Amino acid sequence: MARNALSAVGSRSAAAPPQRHVSVRCHLRPSGAGARGRRRPRFSTGPPPWRLFPFHIPMQMQRQCLLPPPPHTLLPHSFPPHSPAQPCSLPRANNISRRSSSSASAAATPHTRFPWAARVKERARAYVRAGGWTRICCWVGRGMASFAVSGARLGVVRPGGSARSGGERRSAVDLPSVLFRRKDAFSRTVLSCAGAPGKVLVPGGGSDDLLSSAEPVVDTQPEELQIPEAELTVEKTSSSPTQTTSAVAEASSGVEAEERPELSEVIGVGGTGGTKIDGAGIKAKAPLVEEKPRVIPPPGDGQRIYEIDPMLEGFRGHLDYRYSEYKRLRAAIDQHEGGLDAFSRGYEKLGFTRSAEGITYREWAPGAYSAALVGDFNNWNPNADAMARNEYGVWEIFLPNNADGSPAIPHGSRVKIRMDTPSGVKDSIPAWIKFSVQAPGEIPYNGIYYDPPEEEKYVFKHPQPKRPKSLRIYESHVGMSSPEPKINTYANFRDEVLPRIKKLGYNAVQIMAIQEHSYYASFGYHVTNFFAPSSRFGTPEDLKSLIDKAHELGLLVLMDIVHSHSSNNTLDGLNGFDGTDTHYFHGGPRGHHWMWDSRLFNYGSWEVLRFLLSNARWWLEEYKFDGFRFDGVTSMMYTHHGLQVTFTGNYGEYFGFATDVDAVVYLMLVNDLIRGLYPEAVSIGEDVSGMPTFCIPVQDGGVGFDYRLHMAVPDKWIELLKQSDEYWEMGDIVHTLTNRRWLEKCVTYCESHDQALVGDKTIAFWLMDKDMYDFMALDRPSTPRIDRGIALHKMIRLVTMGLGGEGYLNFMGNEFGHPEWIDFPRGPQSLPNGSVIPGNNNSFDKCRRRFDLGDADYLRYRGMQEFDQAMQHLEGKYEFMTSDHSYVSRKHEEDKVIIFERGDLVFVFNFHWSNSYFDYRVGCFKPGKYKIVLDSDDGLFGGFSRLDHDAEYFTADWPHDNRPCSFSVYAPSRTAVVYAPAGAEDE
């Protein structure tokens, strides 16, 4: 099981007996010009083999280097460099764990029970005092204790400050680490050594390796590390014949074998559960949690795509190069970051991290000249908490706890980072901020230090549902989900909208606009704070409660995630964060999307990859989302962004110089991450180009998505709705719905939020237009336009679900033909050319969903909603979208009839505006008796009830339309009917 080298605890196979011997390896590296003075002008041939070697590379030169990364890559790996003459024999990253700890006020020896360890540590300190550097790791195979010591390099101590523990703040700290750990799949025993004020303890057990400057070493031995013998539970365990020791470590550290304590003496082993221990003794019994191993699969050979699609052979050069770049990047991440698992946890290092001793804040801003953390906690004084910069562009500060033990920054405080940059002094919201809020009456947002007390944190109560065989997605927006003209909340969506979605028969809810976006009318697509849920709708705990409720209802929760671009907002977002144009984005025109007016990520940058991969993992890990719908993937994959380009299906359009290979490789990485660590999660890509290999697994050479949004379908329906249905061609409809790549699943839809926006029309509005305002009440006569619109609205939705793909999506409210459009509240907008776009007086009237219309039994909307509900439950019962059996038997242009089989069901569509057909012969594969299971003409659905649902239809051995059997039906005009074998219908 791949685990981060910085993880605090882990698990071990139950079958592996515990090891009893400790081996010590001591790697020493001298300091001085020989170690630090070497330069490497370019990284064209790949990074050097060891990662902590601190080459000093000018910043402008680093920006020229895309892949692979410079050797330091911002966040140091857990292992020290090793000599080429002596190959590194360190264990895998998942077998190492460290926890930083130290105390500035203690003098007692921390290892009185283990003289061998004290002796090793003293030798390491002597070497550090002599100007060298050392790190010592102790481990014992799979059942392991780890012991790490790193040379302390302390930041400058600033006198004064508030009355906090220790009376001082330190920045850029790397301190001695001590952690004894036992990994067990069924129990965990952790010896947690509390650190002292001014020392960094990184959550998750990682030690602080982000060094900024060489400072005098403070040789302290914290009192908290003393372990009273009476309070340690020691249980002997038998040795395995396969237990191993390390002779190399003995020679390098001078520790004699007979001095090594047995592992059971280091860590007490309980029989039923883990015991957490700190310096004061046993604290509490840890709950027993058996974790399933989560492993990111290694790269395959990437060759199966040529078996799936032989037409790709002509583009083997491009595809093999793409896959080689993916494999090279995976190898670089494995070598320098400990694997994709560790690399994707950047939020455990960057931004705000809390330890027992205080708060550490780190920010990557290589372009800034100086930086300071400001906020409510220090009265926004830029001189109070200046940050230290290391040679790699990471700014850092550590704030120890107050004297009473409370954090230096109270929960809910406003915070920003003030930087002197090439473009001037600016206050920015931290890039990794977890929450941001716009104060009433203010325009800019403020970052919020979000760390609620344990009793206020939401605890998930319900397990995440398994991925369903077929997806029926209800696309939604929390803010506009209320019938009232207001911004709705997570809590109201949880209580009012989720039960509605469940009742309608959908099994997944896709939520838009989760990531914080300062411009509400952007629909959430101009993201400013990527790790923060939108504060307009509530708190992060409210969002967690919403997701947990959905899981209780059996609904998957998919997030509409935006990694294709970022807001160009320089006040609240990433644009110009460190005062440069190329921090997270491409420079020049390539870094600007001219149509969306947004910034475009540089997917070839190591730190951009860390940021985006960590962002995807953050939402899955912290909030328990069940997957993503990746927005704007077409824009990512091509340098022309799909603009002013027509994709004809020629493979040369997909594999050429216009393809952004860096972006495609990022998509492969993020899908690797999702598939490996969250195997039940769903990955959907919004691609209009039809990129081949899009939904083929990465190991086979594909991009790795589970589903592609079938975006050609809504475009086709809008095209058809602009003309009379008398001119619709049945073959054209069937071709569009079935035109998808073999073995690549699609989520189909006839309309989404795009068609509901102001300036466009929904299907219902295209069909019924202004008659919707006056003739939707049942107590007044209908009109031909209303009758036509309701009939075709139902047929379009059913034929789209029946033929369009393996998943189905509907935007909230469109199931009942929501009238009008979506128009966000906005004021007048002045354009650079001097013209003014009038606003809507900041009205919310068109920015809501009138669910009351679909629920009203006196309106015709109710029948349309009932039909959509019946359609969803029909698919839930028969799962026809994912059936292996699919056959279109008739596309009759004169009759305007489409007949097809999906699974055991037979679908009959009569699109003719006036002709109804008696004794119409329908071919089928399965003989027997059939009954009606869905009828769009049912009176319940606003139809004319022209069919008898009690009628039985018996097949005859009469081949028809290349089917072995057939039966006769009555096919009313503008009606869709679904027939099922009587046995299946009874079930």
Side-chain angles (χ1 to χ4, degrees):
M1 177 172 64
R3 297 296 297 264
N4 190 309
L6 302 176
S7 66
V9 292
S11 61
R12 145 177 93 77
S13 171
Q19 308 272 351
R20 299 183 62 188
H21 298 291
V22 176
S23 63
V24 180
R25 295 182 188 269
C26 182
H27 295 273
L28 306 180
R29 187 191 69 182
S31 61
R36 304 182 62 85
R38 297 170 59 184
R39 288 176 178 266
R40 187 178 177 89
R42 302 205 41 117
F43 300 107
S44 56
T45 58
W50 47 81
R51 184 174 174 293
L52 281 177
F53 211 91
F55 293 99
H56 181 70
I57 303 298
M59 210 61 233
Q60 62 271 22
M61 192 173 296
Q62 293 183 26
R63 287 180 182 140
Q64 297 173 9
C65 311
L66 299 183
L67 294 177
H72 51 78
T73 61
L74 176 63
L75 296 185
H77 194 272
S78 301
F79 305 136
H82 52 273
S83 170
Q86 180 180 354
C88 178
S89 56
L90 290 171
R92 293 181 60 86
N94 58 308
N95 288 336
I96 295 296
S97 177
R98 298 172 294 145
R99 185 182 300 259
S100 299
S101 58
S102 182
S103 175
S105 60
T109 302
H111 300 299
T112 53
R113 287 201 60 185
F114 314 118
W116 61 276
R119 207 155 32 240
V120 172
K121 186 172 182 181
E122 182 55 37
R123 294 185 184 185
R125 283 203 184 93
Y127 190 78
V128 172
R129 286 193 292 269
W133 181 97
T134 184
R135 187 180 301 277
I136 303 169
C137 297
C138 304
W139 61 87
V140 194
R142 298 176 65 185
M144 141 221 163
S146 65
F147 167 47
V149 180
S150 62
R153 298 174 62 180
L154 305 182
V156 178
V157 178
R158 181 171 54 81
S162 59
R164 294 185 175 89
S165 178
E168 59 191 27
R169 296 186 181 180
R170 304 177 188 269
S171 60
V173 185
D174 185 23
L175 298 157
S177 313
V178 179
L179 171 67
F180 294 90
R181 190 184 75 179
R182 175 73 181 264
K183 294 178 68 177
D184 194 297
F186 302 97
S187 64
R188 293 176 176 175
T189 306
V190 180
L191 178 60
S192 175
C193 303
K199 308 303 186 291
V200 177
L201 290 176
V202 177
S207 67
D208 179 12
D209 282 328
L210 287 174
L211 311 181
S212 62
S213 60
E215 301 292 342
V217 177
V218 178
D219 187 12
T220 61
Q221 297 180 357
E223 185 177 89
E224 291 92 327
L225 296 180
Q226 296 185 11
I227 305 172
E229 291 190 19
E231 295 179 354
L232 273 177
T233 303
V234 178
E235 298 184 18
K236 299 287 184 180
T237 57
S238 60
S239 302
S240 167
T242 61
Q243 291 169 342
T244 60
T245 60
S246 172
V248 176
E250 292 180 40
S252 61
S253 62
V255 178
E256 299 297 331
E258 58 269 18
E259 292 176 339
R260 300 175 189 151
E262 296 189 359
L263 182 65
S264 57
E265 294 176 346
V266 178
I267 303 173
V269 181
T272 59
T275 305
K276 187 173 182 180
I277 310 173
D278 68 3
I282 297 177
K283 283 291 187 182
K285 290 287 183 179
L288 296 178
V289 178
E290 181 177 359
E291 297 181 356
K292 294 182 179 179
R294 301 190 297 180
V295 179
I296 299 174
D301 59 11
Q303 299 299 301
R304 188 167 178 262
I305 54 175
Y306 305 113
E307 301 175 14
I308 296 173
D309 188 353
M311 291 182 64
L312 296 173
E313 284 286 352
F315 302 89
R316 179 182 282 272
H318 177 98
L319 291 166
D320 285 351
Y321 168 75
R322 184 180 82 181
Y323 203 73
S324 68
E325 287 295 293
Y326 154 75
K327 293 175 70 175
R328 183 169 68 89
L329 190 54
R330 278 291 303 269
I333 292 174
D334 290 344
Q335 179 181 1
H336 305 301
E337 298 285 353
L340 198 55
D341 183 3
F343 188 52
S344 62
R345 292 198 298 232
Y347 49 81
E348 294 181 355
K349 277 286 193 179
L350 288 159
F352 290 95
T353 56
R354 175 79 184 279
S355 69
E357 299 305 304
I359 298 169
T360 302
Y361 170 56
R362 298 185 183 100
E363 196 72 72
W364 177 59
Y369 304 137
S370 65
L373 182 62
V374 296
D376 294 332
F377 72 101
N378 63 5
N379 295 320
W380 300 88
N381 182 359
N383 300 317
D385 295 293
M387 301 176 69
R389 181 190 190 276
N390 68 12
E391 58 266 43
Y392 313 128
V394 178
W395 297 89
E396 176 183 343
I397 189 170
F398 175 77
L399 305 178
N401 291 335
N402 296 321
D404 60 359
S406 62
I409 308 177
H411 164 61
S413 297
R414 296 177 298 170
V415 290
K416 284 191 175 182
I417 177 173
R418 178 165 297 178
M419 293 176 286
D420 183 9
T421 73
S423 59
V425 177
K426 59 173 299 194
D427 288 354
S428 295
I429 297 176
W432 298 70
I433 198 71
K434 304 306 189 298
F435 196 46
S436 63
V437 171
Q438 184 182 36
E442 294 185 4
I443 294 177
Y445 274 64
N446 284 291
I448 299 297
Y449 177 72
Y450 193 84
D451 185 22
E454 290 297 324
E455 60 271 15
E456 295 181 14
K457 293 181 180 179
Y458 187 83
V459 178
F460 286 89
K461 305 175 181 65
H462 306 284
Q464 294 177 251
K466 297 293 184 181
R467 185 198 304 196
K469 188 176 181 181
S470 58
L471 279 178
R472 301 185 300 278
I473 303 171
Y474 197 82
E475 186 184 30
S476 57
H477 184 287
V478 173
M480 65 175 64
S481 61
S482 172
E484 303 298 326
K486 65 178 183 180
I487 296 179
N488 206 13
T489 65
Y490 295 125
N492 185 270
F493 188 93
R494 175 198 64 206
D495 299 335
E496 301 295 334
V497 182
L498 286 179
R500 166 183 293 275
I501 297 172
K502 178 66 175 179
K503 180 181 178 181
L504 287 173
Y506 292 86
N507 57 17
V509 53
Q510 176 181 303
I511 307 181
M512 309 168 59
I514 289 296
Q515 294 165 293
E516 188 59 87
H517 48 290
S518 60
Y519 184 43
Y520 187 45
S522 71
F523 231 132
Y525 291 120
H526 281 214
V527 176
T528 46
N529 309 123
F530 283 78
F531 288 82
S534 180
S535 59
R536 289 182 179 88
F537 318 135
T539 68
E541 309 311 307
D542 294 335
L543 175 58
K544 293 176 182 178
S545 175
L546 183 160
I547 295 171
D548 198 28
K549 178 64 175 180
H551 291 163
E552 180 186 5
L553 296 173
L555 297 172
L556 268 65
V557 185
L558 307 180
M559 176 179 169
D560 198 341
I561 196 169
V562 184
H563 282 181
S564 52
H565 63 131
S566 175
S567 171
N568 66 357
N569 185 330
T570 57
L571 290 177
D572 307 320
L574 296 178
N575 188 20
F577 183 84
D578 67 347
T580 67
D581 189 52
T582 57
H583 186 202
Y584 284 94
F585 312 106
H586 286 291
R590 189 180 178 187
H592 295 263
H593 198 292
W594 62 267
M595 178 174 283
W596 294 346
D597 190 26
S598 57
R599 297 304 311 273
L600 300 174
F601 287 107
N602 177 5
Y603 301 101
S605 166
W606 189 264
E607 293 309 319
V608 170
L609 291 178
R610 187 196 307 276
F611 182 83
L612 295 178
L613 290 170
S614 299
N615 184 245
R617 182 168 186 174
W618 169 256
W619 295 107
L620 295 173
E621 190 78 28
E622 180 71 14
Y623 290 90
K624 309 300 182 187
F625 277 98
D626 301 293
F628 300 116
R629 178 260 198 193
F630 284 86
D631 175 70
V633 175
T634 302
S635 175
M636 297 172 64
M637 295 192 298
Y638 307 97
T639 55
H640 53 61
H641 312 302
L643 302 176
Q644 300 177 334
V645 174
T646 300
F647 291 95
T648 64
N650 186 320
Y651 277 29
E653 298 166 353
Y654 305 115
F655 311 117
F657 292 111
T659 304
D660 189 338
V661 175
D662 288 339
V664 177
V665 169
Y666 162 70
L667 294 172
M668 297 166 72
L669 287 172
V670 74
N671 282 312
D672 252 358
L673 176 75
I674 295 170
R675 183 65 54 249
L677 299 182
Y678 309 92
E680 292 295 324
V682 177
S683 177
I684 304 171
E686 185 198 33
D687 173 40
V688 72
S689 72
M691 163 73 81
T693 74
F694 193 74
C695 294
I696 294 177
V698 175
Q699 285 68 32
D700 297 334
V703 183
F705 284 99
D706 295 314
Y707 296 87
R708 181 206 311 271
L709 278 181
H710 203 341
M711 300 182 70
V713 174
D715 292 341
K716 172 57 66 175
W717 285 124
I718 296 302
E719 175 189 329
L720 294 176
L721 289 169
K722 292 179 180 178
Q723 55 184 288
S724 173
D725 54 311
E726 299 177 14
Y727 302 102
W728 293 2
E729 296 181 1
M730 303 298 102
D732 187 26
I733 294 174
V734 170
H735 172 74
T736 301
L737 293 172
T738 58
N739 184 24
R740 52 187 186 271
R741 301 189 183 280
W742 184 49
L743 295 182
E744 297 195 36
K745 296 186 290 186
C746 289
V747 172
T748 188
Y749 59 104
C750 47
E751 58 183 340
S752 69
H753 66 273
D754 291 324
Q755 289 72 39
L757 286 170
V758 62
D760 207 337
K761 291 183 179 181
T762 64
I763 289 179
F765 216 64
W766 276 108
L767 291 168
M768 294 177 279
D769 207 0
K770 61 181 180 180
D771 282 17
M772 296 180 72
Y773 296 117
D774 300 316
F775 300 101
M776 292 299 286
L778 292 173
D779 61 353
R780 65 181 63 185
S782 181
T783 66
R785 177 177 285 178
I786 292 294
D787 292 339
R788 171 184 178 271
I790 291 177
L792 289 178
H793 189 272
K794 294 179 289 186
M795 296 181 70
I796 288 171
R797 304 178 81 78
L798 182 57
V799 74
T800 300
M801 173 181 268
L803 279 179
E806 293 74 24
Y808 179 81
L809 178 142
N810 166 68
F811 180 67
M812 62 177 185
N814 287 350
E815 68 273 10
F816 60 82
H818 198 288
E820 295 188 323
W821 53 83
I822 295 171
D823 191 10
F824 284 87
R826 51 189 171 84
Q829 181 182 2
S830 299
L831 300 181
N833 59 10
S835 59
V836 177
I837 300 176
N840 61 7
N841 200 26
N842 291 310
S843 171
F844 284 88
D845 185 61
K846 299 291 192 300
C847 192
R848 53 177 172 158
R849 293 281 92 180
R850 295 290 305 276
F851 293 122
D852 54 312
L853 300 179
D855 294 339
D857 55 8
Y858 55 86
L859 296 177
R860 290 185 169 88
Y861 296 108
R862 176 67 177 270
M864 300 162 73
Q865 178 172 285
E866 291 288 344
F867 177 79
D868 190 84
Q869 178 174 331
M871 184 175 73
Q872 303 302 325
H873 284 282
L874 180 75
E875 205 289 324
K877 178 178 180 180
Y878 292 99
E879 297 182 333
F880 57 80
M881 285 197 297
T882 54
S883 172
D884 294 333
H885 177 64
S886 180
Y887 188 88
V888 179
S889 60
R890 174 160 289 222
K891 300 171 288 185
H892 202 284
E893 299 298 343
E894 183 178 351
D895 293 347
K896 300 296 181 186
V897 170
I898 297 174
I899 300 176
F900 60 88
E901 304 164 25
R902 201 85 189 263
D904 290 336
L905 304 181
V906 178
F907 294 75
V908 179
F909 291 82
N910 179 8
F911 280 95
H912 204 283
W913 52 96
S914 60
N915 290 350
S916 298
Y917 304 106
F918 294 90
D919 287 332
Y920 202 82
R921 181 62 55 176
V922 175
C924 63
F925 176 76
K926 190 172 183 178
K929 181 175 66 174
Y930 284 79
K931 298 193 69 174
I932 294 174
V933 291
L934 183 63
D935 171 19
S936 69
D937 197 48
D938 193 324
L940 177 65
F941 308 143
F944 299 97
S945 300
R946 287 173 285 178
L947 290 172
D948 181 6
H949 293 178
D950 294 328
E952 298 176 339
Y953 302 85
F954 294 89
T955 62
D957 295 332
W958 183 350
H960 186 73
D961 289 338
N962 296 319
R963 312 310 290 150
C965 308
S966 62
F967 57 95
S968 295
V969 301
Y970 171 49
S973 60
R974 286 181 178 149
T975 298
V977 184
V978 183
Y979 299 87
E985 188 273 338
D986 292 339
E987 293 176 4

